Amino acid sequence: MEALVHFTHKIGEMHFPILMFMMKALVALFVLISIVLFIYDKYIQRENQLLINYPLIGRLRYVFYALRNPMRQYFGDEKFYESFDKVRWVYDSAERKSAYASFSPGQPQKSAQISIKNANCVLNTEDVSSDFSVTFGENTSNPFTTKSVFGRSAMSDGAISPEGTRAFAKGAYLGRFPINTGEGSLTSNFLYTHKYTRECKFFQTQEGTFFAKGVYRFFQFFFNAILAQKIYKHMVVYSDAPDSYLFDTDELVFYRIDWDASIGVFPTQVPDDIPDIIFQMGSGLYGVRDKDGDFDEERYQKTMRFCKMTEIKMAQGAKQTGGKLLATKVSQEIAYYRGVTPHQNLFSPNQFPFAHNLQELFDFMGRLKRLSQKPVGVKIVISSVAAFDEYAKLLKLRLDEGSDAYPDFITIDGGDGGSGAAPLEMMMTVGMTISKALYIADRALKRAGVRDKVKLIASEKVLTPDDAIILFGIGADYVAIARAFMMSAGCIRARECSGAHGRSCPVGLATQDKKKRASFLVEKKAENVASYHSQMLAGVRGLLAVMGLSKLTQISKKNLLFKDHTGKTYMDIERYFEESLLA
């Protein structure tokens, strides 16, 4: 033992003098700072009584408090989802790891839940059709037929970083599923996979000189392409919003959509090298408004040259207010996209400007259909049977009149839906959960005799295939996913999305902080996003096989059952819903 101690001292004193000096200096610095903080907390500051009574030690409270959100999932039980196994399934599927579970879930499953009925004679997975297409707006001039029953739900470029939006756009293109723009408008980042050509007159370009291009190639050869692009952009792009430009590595040209260009130069058909885009129009009319903030018909028509259909956002599960983007996220680029003042809080109006009543809303949908010649729908949150009955009755009336002024689809967001920034008092207290809301909508439309004219999109806390299959069984035609796609793109659920309190998304996904964004791996995350979607489809096929169904369209409420907390089982799930929705 003595020899070991002697050897340790010898190493420290003779072989690593600089290291030992640095360690001693750090200890001395720590002691000095501690003394200064102790004096300040105890005798100078008079704003925090905890620190007066407990100087230094009291500061640990704030350290642990700051770590609570980002670290809670590693040290605490999962509270928001049924179990952490679902969360892990998303991460494993995105990273192409085995998503199989061993022995049993890490946490007991809740006793009250909707379950799936298996068949006496099941099918092999290969016996189940791989056709998961859905057609929206069959009566419009340009119906939209998806390639998947899953799509990325509305998330704005702005709430999401430019790099994050590009990863989602490429992931959607690779995975062949739709992506919703969110109310922040269609930006150039959604066209990340579009091949730039000099014949594209709808692009505004910035190109360097021969010397600037030489500098780019020098840094690309001796260092890396990311650094080379950063230096080249600094030399070439003269704009208040430089990050609004995409970069073509072949032509060495920066480009973005030129919304001031004539509508005649915009493509007449949606380019086939971009994902299927659903344009969401919020109450702020971002991306389709003029300088006075009023609806701009021509700008909307230009936007729809890249999009498959339009979704009007009336409400969202986590907030029935207008969209909220704090000043820390309203960068020059976001201000450019949305036509607003940068670095100021951006709160959209609560009320959609063309929806003082349902009749006005339906009339505006007819107007959008005539302008775009494409499907138009609406996103809502259901709080009562009577509220949705108004939609169903007006739908029936418009169809009987031969009018096209009605929604081709209705997106239903459950009361447990999420948001990067929402009033706490509204989260999970306003609106019904998705299962009951979806049942109300499906039943009301069937009773009105218009169910076949309207597609239903469901959205709320869908992570795994079983979450989705239950919604399909209740009546959904298509499922929009936000949280799980965020996780597949690298979200660690640190709950710093809003940018409030001086903190921002640590992985650069939901922030405009350039330092955090610089490390975001666009190409890798795009592959992860596509992989998660692929595993969701594979899981749905597997469940359909166990249910004895060869097509997703064969699923119905008859394939589901409900068990309550007492063990009472409803083999007829219709009866459960009827009993749970008492007038």
Side-chain angles (χ1 to χ4, degrees):
M1 186 64 184
E2 292 181 1
L4 179 60
V5 172
H6 177 72
F7 177 71
T8 303
H9 281 291
K10 186 176 180 181
I11 291 178
E13 294 176 3
M14 297 181 62
H15 295 276
F16 300 99
I18 297 177
L19 178 61
M20 292 303 295
F21 173 78
M22 291 179 64
M23 290 179 63
K24 291 176 181 178
L26 287 174
V27 171
L29 181 62
F30 176 78
V31 172
L32 178 61
I33 292 175
S34 298
I35 293 172
V36 171
L37 287 177
F38 179 89
I39 296 173
Y40 176 78
D41 289 339
K42 188 73 174 178
Y43 300 108
I44 300 177
Q45 69 89 17
R46 285 299 178 266
E47 296 180 358
N48 191 311
Q49 60 194 39
L50 175 67
L51 295 182
I52 295 174
N53 293 328
Y54 299 96
L56 293 183
I57 294 178
R59 289 185 176 271
L60 291 177
R61 173 183 184 271
Y62 301 101
V63 174
F64 295 140
Y65 190 81
L67 294 174
R68 176 181 174 84
N69 279 336
M71 303 301 290
R72 78 192 189 287
Q73 60 180 306
Y74 309 115
F75 301 107
D77 291 337
E78 181 60 63
K79 303 294 185 184
F80 193 67
Y81 301 104
E82 294 175 13
S83 74
F84 185 74
D85 296 271
K86 283 182 172 290
V87 175
R88 188 172 62 182
W89 188 92
V90 174
Y91 288 127
D92 288 344
S93 295
E95 295 173 4
R96 295 164 291 284
K97 297 178 181 178
S98 173
Y100 288 100
S102 299
F103 188 64
S104 62
Q107 291 171 280
Q109 296 296 288
K110 59 185 179 182
S111 57
Q113 64 178 357
I114 299 175
S115 299
I116 300 166
K117 295 178 184 176
N118 63 286
N120 286 335
C121 299
V122 302
L123 304 176
N124 291 321
T125 303
E126 54 267 26
D127 296 329
V128 179
S129 172
S130 58
D131 180 10
F132 289 107
S133 61
V134 184
T135 299
F136 294 90
E138 293 171 323
N139 296 323
T140 60
S141 300
N142 297 284
F144 171 36
T145 299
T146 73
K147 304 176 184 68
S148 173
V149 287
F150 295 115
R152 197 208 71 170
S153 190
M155 288 185 275
S156 300
D157 191 358
I160 305 299
S161 67
E163 293 78 11
T165 299
R166 293 167 192 171
F168 280 127
K170 184 162 185 178
Y173 178 73
L174 295 174
R176 295 163 60 85
F177 62 85
I179 180 172
N180 190 307
T181 65
E183 62 177 292
S185 79
L186 174 73
T187 69
S188 299
N189 293 316
F190 286 97
L191 308 187
Y192 179 67
T193 58
H194 183 58
K195 175 59 180 174
Y196 168 80
T197 63
R198 297 186 183 275
E199 288 71 34
C200 293
K201 302 302 181 183
F202 54 85
F203 281 134
Q204 179 182 354
T205 61
Q206 299 274 3
E207 185 174 4
T209 61
F210 179 79
F211 173 76
K213 291 180 179 180
V215 171
Y216 170 83
R217 293 189 175 95
F218 173 84
F219 279 95
Q220 181 188 34
F221 181 81
F222 287 101
F223 296 94
N224 59 69
I226 302 300
L227 177 62
Q229 181 180 328
K230 184 177 180 180
I231 295 173
Y232 183 59
K233 178 186 288 187
H234 183 72
M235 297 175 65
V236 172
V237 178
Y238 300 98
S239 168
D240 291 334
D243 289 343
S244 61
Y245 286 85
L246 297 172
F247 180 61
D248 183 84
T249 56
D250 295 328
E251 299 289 338
L252 300 189
V253 171
F254 290 97
Y255 61 98
R256 68 183 181 187
I257 303 173
D258 183 4
W259 295 113
D260 293 327
S262 168
I263 193 171
V265 304
F266 282 76
T268 55
Q269 299 292 327
V270 176
D272 58 9
D273 59 355
I274 64 174
D276 291 336
I277 301 172
I278 301 171
F279 174 68
Q280 186 182 78
M281 187 186 301
S283 60
L285 302 178
Y286 304 127
V288 290
R289 57 191 245 169
D290 59 23
K291 295 180 180 179
D292 298 321
D294 299 321
F295 179 60
D296 186 332
E297 290 191 350
E298 183 173 290
R299 176 65 182 268
Y300 172 69
Q301 289 178 310
K302 291 176 180 178
T303 297
M304 293 311 296
R305 296 294 179 92
F306 302 101
C307 303
K308 297 288 189 173
M309 64 182 187
T310 301
E311 178 184 80
I312 296 174
K313 178 186 174 183
M314 291 287 286
Q316 181 180 339
K319 57 176 183 282
Q320 285 69 43
T321 64
K324 301 184 182 303
L325 203 64
L326 300 185
T328 54
K329 281 192 167 185
V330 187
S331 64
Q332 290 284 356
E333 286 74 19
I334 303 310
Y336 164 77
Y337 295 143
R338 304 192 186 192
V340 298
T341 303
H343 312 305
Q344 294 184 9
N345 288 338
L346 186 58
F347 294 167
S348 301
N350 288 352
Q351 187 179 68
F352 190 77
F354 299 96
H356 296 88
N357 54 60
L358 288 189
Q359 289 79 10
E360 184 182 10
L361 173 63
F362 276 41
D363 290 341
F364 186 64
M365 291 183 199
R367 180 182 174 187
L368 295 183
K369 285 186 184 182
R370 288 187 288 275
L371 289 171
S372 68
Q373 298 295 303
K374 294 177 181 181
V376 177
V378 61
K379 181 176 183 177
I380 63 173
V381 174
I382 297 177
S383 293
S384 71
V385 174
F388 189 80
D389 280 344
E390 293 184 33
Y391 276 90
K393 290 176 182 177
L394 187 54
L395 260 163
K396 171 68 173 173
L397 178 62
R398 292 295 172 95
L399 286 166
D400 288 345
E401 294 174 345
S403 170
D404 67 346
Y406 65 88
D408 296 301
F409 65 92
I410 299 176
T411 301
I412 303 170
D413 201 17
D416 285 352
S419 175
L424 181 63
E425 63 272 18
M426 291 187 184
M427 285 187 172
M428 299 190 294
T429 55
V430 180
M432 306 184 74
T433 59
I434 188 59
S435 59
K436 290 185 175 66
L438 184 57
Y439 175 80
I440 289 172
D442 182 66
R443 182 185 63 173
L445 294 173
K446 286 179 177 176
R447 287 180 175 179
V450 296
R451 180 64 180 89
D452 60 328
K453 301 297 183 181
V454 184
K455 291 293 191 295
L456 289 179
I457 298 177
S459 177
E460 183 203 76
K461 288 176 67 175
V462 173
L463 295 186
T464 54
D466 54 306
D467 296 332
I469 209 77
I470 289 171
L471 298 184
F472 291 128
I474 297 173
D477 298 297
Y478 175 98
V479 169
I481 301 174
R483 302 174 199 269
F485 272 126
M486 284 288 288
M487 294 179 203
S488 71
C491 169
I492 63 171
R493 302 188 301 148
R495 296 176 64 188
E496 307 290 1
C497 315
S498 69
H501 311 299
R503 298 190 294 270
S504 58
C505 172
V507 298
L509 174 59
T511 179
Q512 298 302 315
D513 186 311
K514 292 190 176 184
K515 291 182 179 179
K516 299 285 180 61
R517 288 167 36 199
S519 62
F520 191 84
L521 306 174
V522 174
E523 298 297 325
K524 178 181 178 180
K525 297 307 179 183
E527 294 178 1
N528 289 1
V529 167
S531 177
Y532 165 72
H533 171 261
S534 176
Q535 289 302 310
M536 281 292 288
L537 289 182
V540 166
R541 287 186 75 191
L543 285 171
L544 290 174
V546 170
M547 299 165 75
L549 305 176
S550 61
K551 297 180 180 179
L552 182 60
T553 52
Q554 295 174 340
I555 194 172
S556 69
K557 299 177 186 68
K558 295 179 180 179
N559 301 108
L560 305 176
L561 60 87
F562 179 80
K563 181 182 70 173
D564 69 15
H565 66 282
T566 67
K568 180 180 179 181
T569 302
Y570 292 80
M571 302 307 295
D572 181 359
I573 201 170
E574 295 262 11
R575 183 177 175 183
Y576 155 68
F577 279 118
E578 292 298 330
E579 288 186 11
S580 64
L581 295 170
L582 299 177

